[in-house]
Amino acid sequence: MTPTIEKFIEYLKYELTKNIFKHILTISKMIIYFLEDGDYMLLDYLVKNYEKGEPIFLADISIEGMSEENIRYHLKKLTDEGKISRYESGVYYLPQINIFGEKTVLSADTVALHKYVCRRGKRVGYYAGYTLANQMGLSTQVPFKQEIVSNYAPAQVREISIKDKKYIVRRSAIEVTDENAYVLQLLDCLKNIDKAAEEDMQVCGTILTKYAMLHQITKKQVDTFLEYYPTKIYKAIYETGVEYVSS
Protein backbone atom coordinates (compact mmCIF):
# COMPACT_ATOMS: atom_id res chain seq x y z
CA MET A 1 0.00 0.00 0.00
CA THR A 2 1.44 3.35 -1.05
CA PRO A 3 2.00 6.18 1.48
CA THR A 4 -0.65 8.29 -0.31
CA ILE A 5 -3.34 5.62 0.10
CA GLU A 6 -2.37 5.07 3.75
CA LYS A 7 -2.70 8.80 4.44
CA PHE A 8 -6.09 8.84 2.73
CA ILE A 9 -7.33 5.91 4.84
CA GLU A 10 -6.09 7.60 8.02
CA TYR A 11 -7.89 10.77 6.97
CA LEU A 12 -11.14 8.85 6.43
CA LYS A 13 -10.82 7.22 9.87
CA TYR A 14 -10.26 10.62 11.43
CA GLU A 15 -13.30 12.16 9.71
CA LEU A 16 -15.54 9.22 10.59
CA THR A 17 -14.49 9.30 14.23
CA LYS A 18 -14.93 13.07 14.41
CA ASN A 19 -18.42 12.85 12.88
CA ILE A 20 -19.47 10.00 15.16
CA PHE A 21 -18.54 12.02 18.26
CA LYS A 22 -20.26 15.04 16.74
CA HIS A 23 -23.49 13.06 16.26
CA ILE A 24 -23.25 11.57 19.74
CA LEU A 25 -22.84 15.07 21.19
CA THR A 26 -25.85 16.32 19.20
CA ILE A 27 -28.00 13.39 20.34
CA SER A 28 -26.90 13.91 23.95
CA LYS A 29 -27.86 17.57 23.79
CA MET A 30 -31.27 16.60 22.36
CA ILE A 31 -31.83 14.08 25.16
CA ILE A 32 -30.88 16.64 27.82
CA TYR A 33 -33.19 19.20 26.23
CA PHE A 34 -36.04 16.65 26.07
CA LEU A 35 -35.58 15.67 29.71
CA GLU A 36 -35.46 19.29 30.88
CA ASP A 37 -38.49 20.09 28.73
CA GLY A 38 -40.30 17.11 30.31
CA ASP A 39 -39.57 18.48 33.78
CA TYR A 40 -41.06 21.83 32.80
CA MET A 41 -44.13 20.25 31.16
CA LEU A 42 -44.91 18.10 34.20
CA LEU A 43 -44.34 20.83 36.79
CA ASP A 44 -46.43 23.28 34.76
CA TYR A 45 -49.23 20.70 34.58
CA LEU A 46 -49.11 20.06 38.34
CA VAL A 47 -49.10 23.75 39.28
CA LYS A 48 -52.07 24.44 36.99
CA ASN A 49 -54.13 21.47 38.16
CA TYR A 50 -53.34 21.10 41.87
CA GLU A 51 -53.30 23.31 44.95
CA LYS A 52 -50.34 23.25 47.31
CA GLY A 53 -50.84 20.50 49.87
CA GLU A 54 -53.32 18.62 47.66
CA PRO A 55 -52.46 14.93 47.07
CA ILE A 56 -51.42 14.11 43.50
CA PHE A 57 -52.02 10.52 42.44
CA LEU A 58 -49.84 9.11 39.68
CA ALA A 59 -52.86 7.34 38.16
CA ASP A 60 -54.60 10.71 37.65
CA ILE A 61 -51.78 12.42 35.73
CA SER A 62 -52.39 12.59 32.00
CA ILE A 63 -50.12 14.63 29.72
CA GLU A 64 -50.24 14.24 25.95
CA GLY A 65 -46.99 12.81 24.59
CA MET A 66 -45.76 11.48 27.96
CA SER A 67 -45.96 7.82 28.89
CA GLU A 68 -46.39 6.63 32.48
CA GLU A 69 -42.70 5.68 32.49
CA ASN A 70 -41.76 9.25 31.44
CA ILE A 71 -44.03 10.71 34.11
CA ARG A 72 -42.50 8.47 36.80
CA TYR A 73 -39.00 9.56 35.73
CA HIS A 74 -39.84 13.26 35.89
CA LEU A 75 -41.73 12.90 39.19
CA LYS A 76 -38.62 11.38 40.76
CA LYS A 77 -36.41 14.10 39.26
CA LEU A 78 -38.68 16.89 40.52
CA THR A 79 -38.79 15.19 43.93
CA ASP A 80 -34.98 14.94 44.09
CA GLU A 81 -34.78 18.65 43.21
CA GLY A 82 -37.23 19.52 46.00
CA LYS A 83 -39.82 21.02 43.66
CA ILE A 84 -42.46 18.47 44.70
CA SER A 85 -42.71 16.07 47.65
CA ARG A 86 -43.41 12.33 47.72
CA TYR A 87 -45.84 11.08 50.37
CA GLU A 88 -45.71 7.38 49.50
CA SER A 89 -45.59 5.24 46.36
CA GLY A 90 -47.76 6.87 43.70
CA VAL A 91 -48.71 9.86 45.87
CA TYR A 92 -47.06 13.29 45.57
CA TYR A 93 -47.88 16.91 46.42
CA LEU A 94 -46.74 20.47 45.91
CA PRO A 95 -45.30 21.39 49.30
CA GLN A 96 -46.60 24.25 51.41
CA ILE A 97 -44.23 26.30 53.55
CA ASN A 98 -45.32 27.07 57.11
CA ILE A 99 -44.52 30.21 59.14
CA PHE A 100 -41.25 28.61 60.27
CA GLY A 101 -40.09 28.16 56.68
CA GLU A 102 -40.57 24.38 56.82
CA LYS A 103 -42.34 22.15 54.32
CA THR A 104 -45.61 20.82 55.68
CA VAL A 105 -46.35 17.09 55.45
CA LEU A 106 -49.65 15.60 54.27
CA SER A 107 -51.79 13.73 56.77
CA ALA A 108 -53.19 10.25 56.08
CA ASP A 109 -56.74 11.63 56.45
CA THR A 110 -56.08 14.24 53.73
CA VAL A 111 -54.82 11.54 51.37
CA ALA A 112 -57.85 9.33 52.13
CA LEU A 113 -60.25 12.24 51.58
CA HIS A 114 -58.81 13.08 48.16
CA LYS A 115 -58.38 9.46 47.09
CA TYR A 116 -61.76 8.04 48.10
CA VAL A 117 -64.21 10.89 48.83
CA CYS A 118 -63.51 13.94 46.69
CA ARG A 119 -61.11 13.28 43.83
CA ARG A 120 -59.98 16.06 41.49
CA GLY A 121 -62.90 18.20 42.66
CA LYS A 122 -65.54 15.52 41.99
CA ARG A 123 -67.48 13.65 44.65
CA VAL A 124 -66.65 9.93 44.42
CA GLY A 125 -67.51 8.72 47.91
CA TYR A 126 -68.69 9.55 51.43
CA TYR A 127 -67.97 8.69 55.05
CA ALA A 128 -70.15 5.92 56.45
CA GLY A 129 -70.84 3.67 59.45
CA TYR A 130 -69.57 4.78 62.86
CA THR A 131 -67.53 7.54 61.24
CA LEU A 132 -70.67 9.08 59.76
CA ALA A 133 -72.66 8.64 62.98
CA ASN A 134 -69.97 10.55 64.87
CA GLN A 135 -69.79 13.32 62.26
CA MET A 136 -73.57 13.80 62.35
CA GLY A 137 -73.79 13.88 66.13
CA LEU A 138 -75.64 10.57 66.45
CA SER A 139 -72.77 9.08 68.47
CA THR A 140 -69.88 10.33 70.57
CA GLN A 141 -67.75 7.32 69.67
CA VAL A 142 -64.72 8.11 67.53
CA PRO A 143 -63.94 4.95 65.53
CA PHE A 144 -60.34 3.78 65.36
CA LYS A 145 -60.76 3.05 61.65
CA GLN A 146 -62.64 5.51 59.45
CA GLU A 147 -65.26 3.94 57.17
CA ILE A 148 -65.66 5.19 53.60
CA VAL A 149 -67.92 4.16 50.72
CA SER A 150 -66.25 4.97 47.40
CA ASN A 151 -66.30 4.43 43.65
CA TYR A 152 -62.53 3.88 43.99
CA ALA A 153 -62.73 1.06 46.53
CA PRO A 154 -60.26 -1.67 45.43
CA ALA A 155 -62.70 -4.44 46.44
CA GLN A 156 -66.22 -4.92 47.81
CA VAL A 157 -64.84 -4.33 51.30
CA ARG A 158 -61.19 -3.88 52.15
CA GLU A 159 -59.08 -2.61 55.01
CA ILE A 160 -56.42 -0.35 53.53
CA SER A 161 -53.44 1.38 55.11
CA ILE A 162 -52.21 4.88 54.37
CA LYS A 163 -48.87 5.20 56.12
CA ASP A 164 -49.62 4.01 59.67
CA LYS A 165 -53.40 4.64 59.63
CA LYS A 166 -56.07 2.11 58.63
CA TYR A 167 -59.39 2.64 56.84
CA ILE A 168 -62.34 0.44 55.93
CA VAL A 169 -63.25 1.18 52.31
CA ARG A 170 -66.41 -0.26 50.76
CA ARG A 171 -67.51 -0.26 47.13
CA SER A 172 -70.76 1.58 46.50
CA ALA A 173 -73.67 -0.30 44.92
CA ILE A 174 -74.56 2.98 43.19
CA GLU A 175 -72.03 5.28 41.56
CA VAL A 176 -71.48 8.21 43.91
CA THR A 177 -71.79 11.64 42.27
CA ASP A 178 -72.06 15.27 43.34
CA GLU A 179 -75.82 15.00 42.84
CA ASN A 180 -76.55 11.90 44.97
CA ALA A 181 -73.79 11.81 47.62
CA TYR A 182 -75.83 13.44 50.41
CA VAL A 183 -78.87 11.24 49.70
CA LEU A 184 -76.76 8.07 49.79
CA GLN A 185 -75.08 9.23 52.98
CA LEU A 186 -78.48 9.77 54.63
CA LEU A 187 -79.64 6.30 53.58
CA ASP A 188 -76.40 4.74 54.77
CA CYS A 189 -76.91 6.39 58.13
CA LEU A 190 -80.48 5.06 58.38
CA LYS A 191 -79.32 1.57 57.38
CA ASN A 192 -76.84 1.39 60.26
CA ILE A 193 -78.68 3.52 62.82
CA ASP A 194 -79.54 0.60 65.10
CA LYS A 195 -75.82 -0.21 65.51
CA ALA A 196 -74.04 3.12 65.16
CA ALA A 197 -76.31 5.63 66.93
CA GLU A 198 -76.28 6.24 70.70
CA GLU A 199 -79.21 8.68 70.73
CA ASP A 200 -82.85 7.50 70.84
CA MET A 201 -84.82 7.35 67.61
CA GLN A 202 -86.62 10.64 68.18
CA VAL A 203 -83.37 12.56 68.63
CA CYS A 204 -81.89 10.75 65.62
CA GLY A 205 -84.94 11.76 63.58
CA THR A 206 -84.46 15.43 64.49
CA ILE A 207 -80.79 15.32 63.51
CA LEU A 208 -81.49 13.52 60.22
CA THR A 209 -84.33 15.89 59.36
CA LYS A 210 -82.00 18.88 59.83
CA TYR A 211 -79.48 17.12 57.57
CA ALA A 212 -82.15 16.49 54.90
CA MET A 213 -83.28 20.11 55.02
CA LEU A 214 -79.73 21.43 54.89
CA HIS A 215 -78.95 19.44 51.74
CA GLN A 216 -82.40 19.87 50.16
CA ILE A 217 -83.13 16.12 50.08
CA THR A 218 -86.59 15.20 48.81
CA LYS A 219 -88.65 12.04 49.33
CA LYS A 220 -88.47 11.42 45.58
CA GLN A 221 -84.66 11.35 45.73
CA VAL A 222 -84.75 8.93 48.67
CA ASP A 223 -87.29 6.63 46.97
CA THR A 224 -85.05 6.42 43.89
CA PHE A 225 -82.36 4.53 45.82
CA LEU A 226 -84.35 2.58 48.46
CA GLU A 227 -84.30 -0.60 46.36
CA TYR A 228 -80.52 -0.86 46.87
CA TYR A 229 -80.87 -1.05 50.67
CA PRO A 230 -82.06 -3.82 53.02
CA THR A 231 -85.74 -3.77 54.06
CA LYS A 232 -84.82 -2.83 57.65
CA ILE A 233 -84.25 0.71 56.39
CA TYR A 234 -88.05 1.19 56.21
CA LYS A 235 -88.26 0.47 59.94
CA ALA A 236 -85.52 3.06 60.59
CA ILE A 237 -87.34 5.68 58.49
CA TYR A 238 -90.58 5.01 60.41
CA GLU A 239 -89.02 4.98 63.88
CA THR A 240 -86.96 8.13 63.39
CA GLY A 241 -89.75 9.99 61.63
CA VAL A 242 -87.19 11.68 59.40
CA GLU A 243 -88.73 14.36 57.18
CA TYR A 244 -87.59 15.59 53.79
CA VAL A 245 -87.92 18.75 51.74
CA SER A 246 -91.25 18.95 49.90
CA SER A 247 -90.88 17.99 46.22
Side-chain angles (χ1 to χ4, degrees):
M1 189 179 293
T2 65
T4 304
I5 294 175
E6 287 181 352
K7 286 182 180 181
F8 180 69
I9 292 172
E10 288 299 320
Y11 172 75
L12 286 177
K13 287 180 180 178
Y14 168 76
E15 286 296 322
L16 286 170
T17 304
K18 183 176 71 173
N19 287 330
I20 287 171
F21 281 118
K22 183 179 178 181
H23 288 309
I24 290 172
L25 183 61
T26 302
I27 292 169
S28 298
K29 286 180 178 178
M30 289 173 65
I31 291 171
I32 292 169
Y33 173 79
F34 173 76
L35 293 178
E36 289 178 347
D37 192 49
D39 289 348
Y40 170 78
M41 285 173 60
L42 179 57
L43 186 59
D44 183 61
Y45 171 88
L46 297 179
V47 170
K48 287 179 178 177
N49 288 276
Y50 294 89
E51 299 291 333
K52 288 184 177 180
E54 178 184 351
I56 301 166
F57 302 104
L58 172 62
D60 291 344
I61 300 174
S62 177
I63 301 174
E64 188 176 353
M66 292 185 73
S67 66
E68 183 178 325
E69 187 178 354
N70 292 147
I71 292 170
R72 284 181 182 276
Y73 170 83
H74 292 295
L75 283 171
K76 183 180 186 308
K77 196 163 180 287
L78 290 173
T79 302
D80 292 342
E81 293 171 357
K83 293 177 181 176
I84 64 172
S85 297
R86 180 180 180 274
Y87 180 78
E88 63 179 8
S89 179
V91 184
Y92 301 82
Y93 60 100
L94 297 167
Q96 287 179 310
I97 307 299
N98 62 24
I99 58 173
F100 303 107
E102 302 169 331
K103 290 182 180 179
T104 57
V105 179
L106 287 182
S107 69
D109 286 347
T110 298
V111 174
L113 171 67
H114 285 270
K115 188 170 187 177
Y116 296 113
V117 179
C118 189
R119 192 154 177 166
R120 299 299 305 275
K122 292 183 179 180
R123 195 66 181 266
V124 296
Y126 56 86
Y127 293 98
Y130 290 98
T131 304
L132 177 60
N134 177 262
Q135 290 178 346
M136 295 186 70
L138 300 171
S139 172
T140 57
Q141 295 183 52
V142 180
F144 178 68
K145 300 173 186 175
Q146 289 188 16
E147 296 180 54
I148 300 172
V149 172
S150 176
N151 301 336
Y152 282 85
Q156 199 64 37
V157 182
R158 179 171 294 179
E159 180 178 287
I160 60 106
S161 296
I162 299 177
K163 285 291 179 73
D164 57 350
K165 193 162 184 179
K166 297 185 183 299
Y167 300 81
I168 303 297
V169 183
R170 304 177 190 278
R171 187 174 295 160
S172 177
I174 308 138
E175 183 181 4
V176 183
T177 66
D178 291 309
E179 290 73 29
N180 66 21
Y182 291 120
V183 181
L184 297 179
Q185 199 164 30
L186 174 67
L187 290 170
D188 203 291
C189 194
L190 285 163
K191 181 186 72 174
N192 297 307
I193 205 162
D194 56 334
K195 296 185 295 183
E198 293 177 332
E199 302 289 353
D200 61 41
M201 289 295 111
Q202 186 176 357
V203 174
C204 289
T206 301
I207 293 171
L208 294 177
T209 296
K210 287 181 180 178
Y211 178 89
M213 298 300 170
L214 176 65
H215 298 292
Q216 295 292 295
I217 297 173
T218 66
K219 184 176 185 300
K220 183 179 180 181
Q221 289 175 307
V222 170
D223 290 345
T224 301
F225 301 111
L226 278 176
E227 64 179 285
Y228 296 97
Y229 290 83
T231 54
K232 70 173 185 176
I233 199 169
Y234 292 97
K235 182 173 182 287
I237 291 172
Y238 174 76
E239 291 182 348
T240 58
V242 59
E243 297 178 10
Y244 319 108
V245 174
S246 299
S247 301

